[in-house]
Amino acid sequence: MGDRWQYLGVLLGCLLVTLPLEFLGAGVYRRAAVLARAVLPVVGVFAAWDVVAIARGHWTFAEEFTLGVVLPGGMPVEEVLFFVVVPVCAVLTYEAVSGMAARLERERAVRG
């Protein structure tokens, strides 16, 4: 993988690692509207934070590790995708673990 694809590769890896959790019954992707309500505020807050930090010179992004598509405010498109992918993976993981814990608790209750 070329250096320019590294950021996207990491994001894709995060999605691929957590994808099987959807099939364990998490159902996160099947509830897109609920997921969007959970993720979009995060995207908005952190994107605004990034734009301010970039404008103030607090941080930059290494061009050799991004595709070079820069959004208004100087933020690479991969950074916005990061703000979507990481919360989606976190919600998916949380829902999967919660679901498995609830199933285990029900099984314990049945066994008494």
Side-chain angles (χ1 to χ4, degrees), residues 37-53:
R37 283 196 306 272
V39 171
L40 290 179
V42 173
V43 173
V45 168
F46 283 104
W49 182 352
D50 252 20
V51 168
V52 169

Side-chain angles (χ1 to χ4, degrees):
M1 171 172 32
D3 287 345
R4 296 184 85 52
W5 292 93
Q6 283 189 15
Y7 201 157
L8 281 178
V10 168
L11 295 176
L12 181 60
C14 290
L15 289 171
L16 290 175
V17 165
T18 57
L19 181 62
L21 299 175
E22 178 72 9
F23 302 107
L24 292 175
V28 170
Y29 293 128
R30 291 171 279 193
R31 297 177 294 175
V34 174
L35 180 62
R37 283 196 306 272
V39 171
L40 290 179
V42 173
V43 173
V45 168
F46 283 104
W49 182 352
D50 252 20
V51 168
V52 169
I54 292 166
R56 296 181 87 189
H58 291 284
W59 67 70
T60 60
F61 298 91
E63 291 180 21
E64 64 268 19
F65 299 117
T66 63
L67 295 177
V69 178
V70 179
L71 301 173
M75 190 173 15
V77 71
E78 292 91 343
E79 185 74 352
V80 174
L81 292 174
F82 174 85
F83 296 140
V84 173
V85 168
V86 170
V88 166
C89 293
V91 169
L92 187 56
T93 302
Y94 175 82
E95 289 292 326
V97 170
S98 295
M100 287 188 285
R103 279 192 295 276
L104 286 172
E105 190 61 36
R106 283 192 301 271
E107 288 174 14
R108 284 188 192 139
V110 169
R111 284 184 272 159

